[in-house]
Amino acid sequence: MPYRRLTTVLGIAAASASALVLATAPAQAAGNVYEAYNSITSPSAMTEFAEDGEILTALDMKKDGHGTAAQWRYNSSSATHSYYNGYGYAVAHDWNLSFAEGTTLQIRACLQDTSDGTPYSCGGWEYAKA
């Protein structure tokens, strides 16, 4: 009888511990966030792509009078999509995009001076996944 009582107590303790772990576990892990910079040594523009929500962000990282451009393209495609952020230093601007789940794309960060200007001083392409 003492053996049976011990196994019952241990069983209840194990079930309680499992319930506690499940109750404190996050519902779902957040998606990946991918980053690209226009320069490795002294970046002045950053592009970010958040897998969860498919949000593209451009951030101006320097008080230099230049705006930034967030660019994306499908994996190794020649068609580049560019989004201008002229809101100024330390102000991020987001765009909500839509891709099929698992789509591979590339992102990069550039400088751009006006909304109808041409992006320049772009960094390298970085891979991201929707």
Side-chain angles (χ1 to χ4, degrees):
M1 197 70 122
Y3 175 74
R4 185 176 183 142
R5 184 176 299 165
L6 179 60
T7 56
T8 302
V9 169
L10 290 176
I12 291 170
S16 297
S18 295
L20 180 62
V21 168
L22 290 174
T24 59
Q28 186 173 352
N32 292 320
V33 175
Y34 303 90
E35 295 178 349
Y37 298 89
N38 71 321
S39 168
I40 293 173
T41 57
S42 183
S44 53
M46 180 185 84
T47 294
E48 182 179 274
F49 180 76
E51 178 181 50
D52 187 25
E54 298 164 346
I55 304 297
L56 183 73
T57 302
L59 175 65
D60 187 338
M61 298 176 65
K62 276 192 179 171
K63 291 182 182 181
D64 57 8
H66 302 293
T68 62
Q71 294 189 323
W72 71 268
R73 67 182 182 186
Y74 288 107
N75 187 21
S76 299
S77 169
S78 61
T80 299
H81 306 270
S82 193
Y83 295 82
Y84 172 67
N85 175 8
Y87 291 106
Y89 170 68
V91 179
H93 190 70
D94 296 337
W95 295 269
N96 190 353
L97 306 179
S98 181
F99 298 99
E101 193 72 27
T103 298
T104 299
L105 55 135
Q106 294 175 303
I107 60 170
R108 73 177 177 179
C110 305
L111 295 178
Q112 183 173 328
D113 290 330
T114 62
S115 61
D116 60 345
T118 301
Y120 64 95
S121 294
C122 299
W125 289 104
E126 302 293 334
Y127 283 95
K129 191 169 239 178

